Amino acid sequence: MIEFRDKFLGVKHIALPSNYSYITHHARVYGNVPLWVATNALTFGQISKMYQYSTSDIRTKVSLNFANMSEVQLHQLIRILASCRNVCAHNERLYSFKVNEAISDMVLHSKLQISQKNCPHISQELLFSKMGFPENWDKIARYKK
């Protein structure tokens, strides 16, 4: 009956891993797992989905913990961070990864001294230089494309 009610009301479920003793302890002893306990076992993706599935008033309350950031901006940053995290976690190239959504102007831009008009992109040459590649890396046999 609970599953039908939850589906009817649009309640979303995020599965908690049960292989953590503190998760099973709280579930067995107290019948629930407090959020402060659950977050130790959740992945970044699960936390971002939890934020996404939250009601607007809860997302607004959470965003108040971040100075000068609206609920929409925080949600956008979480989505972008989750995408970047997935690129790194799946051994893809982060240097050529492009975010397909505009990042709204926020105080963070000025704190990091990032232009809000033109997003600075690092060139391939500068990136390879910072990584220790020699200038003529493409002419050296072991680096051939």
Side-chain angles (χ1 to χ4, degrees), residues 16 22-35 37:
L16 285 173
Y22 53 87
I23 297 287
T24 53
H25 167 78
H26 278 275
R28 189 180 62 253
V29 174
Y30 303 107
N32 63 50
V33 181
L35 185 59
V37 172

Side-chain angles (χ1 to χ4, degrees), residues 56-106:
S56 183
D57 61 318
I58 290 174
R59 287 193 307 260
T60 300
K61 287 177 185 174
V62 170
S63 69
L64 292 174
N65 291 289
F66 299 89
N68 303 309
M69 190 170 300
S70 72
E71 173 255 323
V72 172
Q73 289 172 322
L74 181 59
H75 191 198
Q76 183 181 32
L77 282 178
I78 289 172
R79 283 196 317 267
I80 291 169
L81 286 173
S83 295
C84 290
R85 179 255 169 227
N86 288 340
V87 167
C88 293
H90 298 287
N91 296 322
E92 297 175 29
R93 286 187 222 145
L94 186 60
Y95 84 88
S96 61
F97 174 72
K98 290 185 172 55
V99 175
N100 293 327
E101 56 184 292
I103 300 172
S104 61
D105 294 343
M106 57 183 77

Side-chain angles (χ1 to χ4, degrees), residues 94-96 122-133:
L94 186 60
Y95 84 88
S96 61
I122 188 168
S123 68
Q124 180 176 330
E125 292 79 23
L126 182 58
L127 175 67
F128 285 180
S129 169
K130 296 287 186 187
M131 292 172 63
F133 278 68

